[in-house]
Amino acid sequence: MTGYYGLHSKVWVAVDCIIFGFDNNKLKLLIGRRQMDPGRGEWSLYGGFVGVDESVDEAADRVLFELTGLKHIYMKQVATFGAIDRDPGERVISVAYCALINVKDYDTSLLEEHGVEWVELDKLPHLYSDHNDMVRKALTLLRRRVKTEPISFNLLPDLFTLTQLQHVYEAILGEELDKRNFRKRIKQIDFIEKTELIDKMTSKRGAALYRFNKRMYMEDPTFKL
């Protein structure tokens, strides 16, 4: 290390992960009680400080893996939060990341290990510092991207019904969609493939199961719902 910047003050750099999941037709957020001062015991997003030997993206990947045990998660940087008084402990700048996972892929034993739980967005409590602002910005990002990118499939199992897919869109957008129009549009999208399999668990009559064909999407990534 050099002493080039010795005359300048130092700040801490952290990452905070906004992890969304979808369960029981609800969009949920993974949060827990803060286990350090300041703010010990307050509801909080899960995060950590950036190490001297890693980039902010690498730090976010590390934190996500520690919390979920999952790799290759959909993750996008949301914004940087740097208000002078955002952390009463030190001068901390935080880079917020949004991640989407399928709740069924999450090992529930990790909930107890990390002291976190899934909370429905409309029941979200007050979070530590500016974490509620982070969540609002992340949701705005999702609502914009879900209309132009196939991000909803990150919240679903590999095989899903059109009803499940519609519920995901409704949960993200915060509004009810017309069933007929939604299905008409979805059936026009080539990379959403109908399989020969039938779902008899969530539908009494049995509903066709669909899947997302990533290869076909990559060949023609133009998409608009």
Side-chain angles (χ1 to χ4, degrees):
M1 302 292 289
T2 67
Y4 294 139
Y5 307 120
L7 297 178
H8 301 276
S9 60
K10 295 181 179 180
V11 299
W12 295 89
V13 179
V15 294
D16 283 296
C17 295
I18 307 154
I19 305 174
F20 290 107
F22 179 75
D23 191 36
N24 292 326
N25 299 334
K26 296 284 188 178
L27 195 62
K28 297 185 176 181
L29 188 69
L30 200 57
I31 61 174
R33 296 285 186 177
R34 190 169 164 87
Q35 299 177 13
M36 61 183 294
D37 292 320
R40 186 183 297 271
E42 294 185 33
W43 287 106
S44 172
L45 296 172
Y46 195 86
F49 288 102
V50 179
V52 295
D53 59 347
E54 61 184 358
S55 68
V56 288
D57 286 349
E58 290 169 341
D61 281 332
R62 171 178 54 78
V63 170
L64 280 172
F65 181 72
E66 288 174 357
L67 182 58
T68 68
L70 301 173
K71 293 185 176 181
H72 310 299
I73 298 174
Y74 174 89
M75 180 182 73
K76 294 292 182 182
Q77 191 176 122
V78 176
T80 301
F81 294 78
I84 296 174
D85 59 350
R86 63 171 303 275
D87 191 307
E90 295 283 354
R91 179 77 166 93
V92 180
I93 294 174
S94 182
V95 183
Y97 286 81
C98 172
L100 304 179
I101 68 172
N102 176 17
V103 171
K104 297 298 187 297
D105 290 338
Y106 186 77
D107 184 349
T108 54
S109 67
L110 294 174
L111 294 175
E112 183 175 354
E113 179 181 336
H114 294 289
V116 294
E117 59 185 82
W118 290 106
V119 177
E120 295 176 13
L121 275 188
D122 56 5
K123 297 180 180 178
L124 198 64
H126 175 73
L127 303 177
Y128 174 76
S129 184
D130 49 9
H131 289 189
N132 287 92
D133 290 336
M134 293 181 180
V135 175
R136 282 190 285 269
K137 285 185 179 293
L139 188 56
T140 297
L141 176 72
L142 289 185
R143 287 174 174 170
R144 183 170 64 248
R145 287 179 176 262
V146 76
K147 297 178 181 180
T148 58
E149 299 177 28
I151 63 172
S152 57
F153 303 108
N154 295 283
L155 295 165
L156 290 169
D158 291 336
L159 297 173
F160 52 86
T161 66
L162 291 185
T163 297
Q164 289 174 313
L165 183 59
Q166 180 173 341
H167 286 327
V168 167
Y169 274 91
E170 290 175 336
I172 293 175
L173 296 172
E175 61 184 41
E176 188 174 342
L177 301 175
D178 180 80
K179 180 178 179 179
R180 181 178 298 179
N181 290 338
F182 179 82
R183 295 195 171 205
K184 180 180 179 180
R185 178 69 188 101
I186 290 299
K187 290 179 179 180
Q188 294 173 343
I189 300 175
D190 292 338
F191 57 77
I192 300 178
E193 295 182 334
K194 183 178 181 180
T195 73
E196 297 179 354
L197 301 173
I198 300 296
D199 171 37
K200 295 183 179 180
M201 297 293 291
T202 61
S203 172
K204 293 181 180 179
R205 293 189 301 173
L209 287 167
Y210 291 74
R211 64 184 167 210
F212 169 56
N213 187 322
K214 185 176 181 179
R215 179 187 59 79
M216 187 173 291
Y217 170 72
M218 295 303 293
E219 291 177 355
D220 183 16
T222 57
F223 169 73
K224 186 175 181 181
L225 183 67

